[in-house]
């Protein structure tokens, strides 16, 4: 077998290269090749995961406005807003550990207080780290559930499997659903599946805790709290109309 290092050394000598320039040993070449192969496998895996998520809800489910949301452009005017921002940043930093035990977050508060901005900032930061994230409203979620009733190709098991794919599933507007028993059973089932399947779930609601508990019912509310490792209350005045 040809000694590639020897051949490269001869070539370097003919080219007049300085003596200190020598080819890497074969093992170094093999190591570099393995690293390139692993990097290529990671890229292909991320691309495949992105295609699966795109097929589920169309990219991340973030509209153009929320795609621009980041921690840097979140407006902070108060200490409690700073605390909310710090919690969101820490969730991203600790995401690998939190997702390993299926823990997510709960953002609760009145409209216009920045809940969606910080949730979208979390999603964007995690996607930049090649994690799969899907954000959708609870109404879109149950529209997908109702679609499964009429679409033979979309069984309940397949829908659950699709909802299990993202590493982080963020469900917005919790509490705006119709409140039917069927919806509560589905929501509880999805939360349970993701929690015990060690998949993180984030929840966003405009209701306070008492209203949320009343709308969801005791079981769904308890499962939601189990799935959320942190709960942040956004109880400051609305940003809307302030140009924020």
């Amino acid at each position: 077998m040809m000694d590639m290092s020897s051949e490269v050394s001869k070539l370097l000598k003919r080219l007049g290269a300085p003596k200190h320039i020598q080819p890497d040993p074969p093992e170094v070449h093999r190591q570099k090749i393995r690293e390139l192969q692993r990097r290529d496998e990671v890229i292909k895996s991320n691309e495949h995961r992105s295609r699966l998520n795109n097929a589920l809800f169309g990219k991340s489910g973030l509209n153009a406005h929320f795609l621009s949301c980041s921690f840097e452009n979140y407006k902070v005017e108060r200490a409690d807003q700073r605390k909310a921002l710090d919690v969101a940043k820490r969730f991203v930093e600790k995401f690998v550990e939190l997702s390993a035990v299926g823990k997510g977050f709960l953002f609760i508060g009145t409209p216009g207080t920045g809940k969606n901005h910080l949730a979208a900032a979390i999603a964007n930061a995690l996607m930049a780290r090649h994690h799969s994230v899907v954000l959708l409203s609870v109404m879109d979620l149950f529209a997908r559930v109702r679609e499964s009733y009429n679409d033979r190709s979309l069984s309940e098991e397949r829908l659950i499997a699709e909802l299990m794919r993202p590493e982080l599933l963020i469900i917005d507007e919790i509490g705006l659903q119709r409140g039917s028993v069927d919806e509560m059973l589905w929501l509880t089932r999805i939360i349970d599946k993701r929690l015990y399947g060690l998949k993180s779930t984030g929840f966003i609601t405009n209701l306070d805790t008492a209203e949320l508990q009343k709308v969801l019912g005791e079981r769904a509310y308890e499962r939601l709290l189990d799935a959320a490792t942190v709960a942040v209350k956004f109880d400051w005045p609305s940003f809307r109309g302030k140009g924020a």
Side-chain angles (χ1 to χ4, degrees):
M1 181 180 294
M2 181 181 295
D3 185 344
M4 293 302 298
S5 295
S6 176
E7 294 300 318
V8 173
S9 295
K10 292 177 182 178
L11 177 60
L12 291 173
K13 186 175 181 180
R14 287 199 298 270
L15 292 174
K19 291 183 178 181
H20 69 275
I21 298 179
Q22 294 296 323
D24 291 330
E27 179 54 37
V28 174
H29 284 296
R30 287 192 288 270
Q31 178 65 25
K32 288 181 177 178
I33 290 172
R34 287 194 293 267
E35 290 175 358
L36 289 172
Q37 289 174 332
R38 283 196 295 267
R39 186 172 65 181
D40 186 55
E41 288 171 358
V42 169
I43 291 172
K44 289 181 178 178
S45 174
N46 289 334
E47 289 175 347
H48 176 65
R49 188 166 52 192
S50 296
R51 284 194 297 271
L52 291 176
N53 285 332
N54 291 349
L56 176 57
F57 290 109
K59 296 189 177 178
S60 63
L62 298 172
N63 62 33
H65 169 71
F66 288 119
L67 284 172
S68 66
C69 291
S70 68
F71 298 135
E72 288 71 28
N73 61 22
Y74 179 74
K75 190 172 183 180
V76 175
E77 297 176 336
R78 305 157 48 115
D80 42 9
Q81 291 168 346
R82 169 60 61 186
K83 182 178 179 180
L85 176 60
D86 290 342
V87 168
K89 287 181 176 180
R90 191 160 60 249
F91 182 83
V92 171
E93 294 302 321
K94 298 291 186 180
F95 181 71
V96 173
E97 299 170 35
L98 294 172
S99 63
V101 290
K103 294 297 185 178
F105 62 85
L106 169 63
F107 287 172
I108 186 167
T110 54
T113 49
K115 300 185 301 298
N116 289 85
H117 184 121
L118 279 187
I122 288 173
N124 290 327
L126 288 175
M127 288 189 291
R129 299 184 181 198
H130 306 296
H131 294 290
S132 56
V133 184
V134 167
L135 188 155
L136 72 160
S137 72
V138 71
M139 301 301 290
D140 288 337
L141 172 60
F142 287 127
R144 185 69 167 161
V145 170
R146 289 190 292 273
E147 182 183 337
S148 71
Y149 296 154
N150 302 315
D151 185 351
R152 292 184 179 179
S153 67
L154 185 62
S155 64
E156 291 187 10
E157 289 73 20
R158 179 181 170 186
L159 178 57
I160 289 292
E162 288 181 345
L163 292 167
M164 287 293 292
R165 281 191 191 127
E167 293 173 77
L168 174 63
L169 174 65
I170 303 174
I171 307 176
D172 188 16
E173 299 179 336
I174 293 286
L176 289 187
Q177 62 271 21
R178 297 174 182 177
S180 68
V181 173
D182 190 46
E183 286 183 346
M184 292 304 98
L185 290 174
W186 260 101
L187 186 59
T188 304
R189 184 181 180 191
I190 292 166
I191 295 172
D192 279 347
K193 286 285 187 180
R194 288 190 59 84
L195 178 60
Y196 294 118
L198 304 182
K199 292 295 184 75
S200 297
T201 309
F203 307 93
I204 308 172
T205 182
N206 293 332
L207 304 179
D208 61 29
T209 52
E211 293 171 328
L212 185 62
Q213 186 172 5
K214 182 178 179 180
V215 168
L216 293 182
E218 193 66 30
R219 176 168 169 73
Y221 180 71
E222 287 180 356
R223 304 314 294 136
L224 185 151
L225 294 183
D226 286 343
T229 189
V230 292
V232 181
K233 188 174 183 181
F234 293 62
D235 59 354
W236 45 84
S238 172
F239 284 132
R240 292 175 185 171
K242 297 182 179 181

